[in-house]
Amino acid sequence: MQKTPMIFLMTVFLLAGCNNAIGESKDETKNETTASETASVQEEEVASSADKNQEQDELNTPVEDTLTDEETIQLIIDSETEALEVFADAFQEDETGLSFNESFEEILNRIEAPLSERLLKNIYDNPGYVYEYSYTFPLADQELPTNYRIVDSNDQRKVYVEVNLYEQPTLFEYTLEKEEDDWLITSLNSLHTLSDAYRLLGYALDASPDELDIVDIENPTFEDYIERVVNGEKYVIETYRNHYRTKFFHVDPFTGTVYKYDVVTESTEEIY
């Protein structure tokens, strides 16, 4: 009769110990699970942060340009050659004048060269540009020119090139813009040489070059011309008439605008 309480107490004690052990085991398992989940979440946050940083780095890193200067010029040559062939194939001249026998959409679909739609539409709207294409596609079917210069700025590339047209050196400026990973030719402008500036001044003053008596005639190189354009400078022409007072004129090599320059006030007045 005395053993029963003792056995009962021992049984209770053992059960209590087991329960404590089970509780501790559960706590340890719970702690291990919580720690594992926490570590997993931290790893995911670190991975997510790394992915975001990588994405941001990719956005901040400029797209690597794989075109060399010569390849850029060749791209223009090939593009103009292809476009000229397509336009010439659709070109027609009849009693109504100059036109194309295909719609603009049809011509546009046939041209795979990286020329902007706006540039091509301007040519389509002016068929005469194809009739006399030397100034429309100056590099079409040409060899790599001797004189050219390329100036990059962000996602834009300016290409300055000298082409011999009608036995005269003629300057052109192309604009290429980056679209995704490709360069797109978006504009073409002819630039005025110093000889052009003298001729334009003659028009402005209604005088022949001989009557202008130009002082200190320059002989600029291709690089001199382009440096003026890149820096936004104008040609400065000093002249006098009938050995009477010297006058100065400025001519914009990009637009061909002629200005009269006042030395005293250092101001300009557009005259042509």
Side-chain angles (χ1 to χ4, degrees), residues 31 108 163 205 214 216 230 236 262:
N31 291 336
L108 186 63
V163 182
L205 301 179
I214 296 171
D216 299 327
V230 172
V236 179
D262 190 315

Side-chain angles (χ1 to χ4, degrees), residues 203-230:
Y203 293 156
L205 301 179
D206 192 21
S208 68
D210 294 336
E211 292 176 316
L212 292 178
D213 293 328
I214 296 171
V215 181
D216 299 327
I217 296 178
E218 299 180 51
N219 187 25
T221 64
F222 170 77
E223 286 297 330
D224 294 332
Y225 282 131
I226 303 309
E227 200 64 29
R228 289 176 188 265
V229 174
V230 172

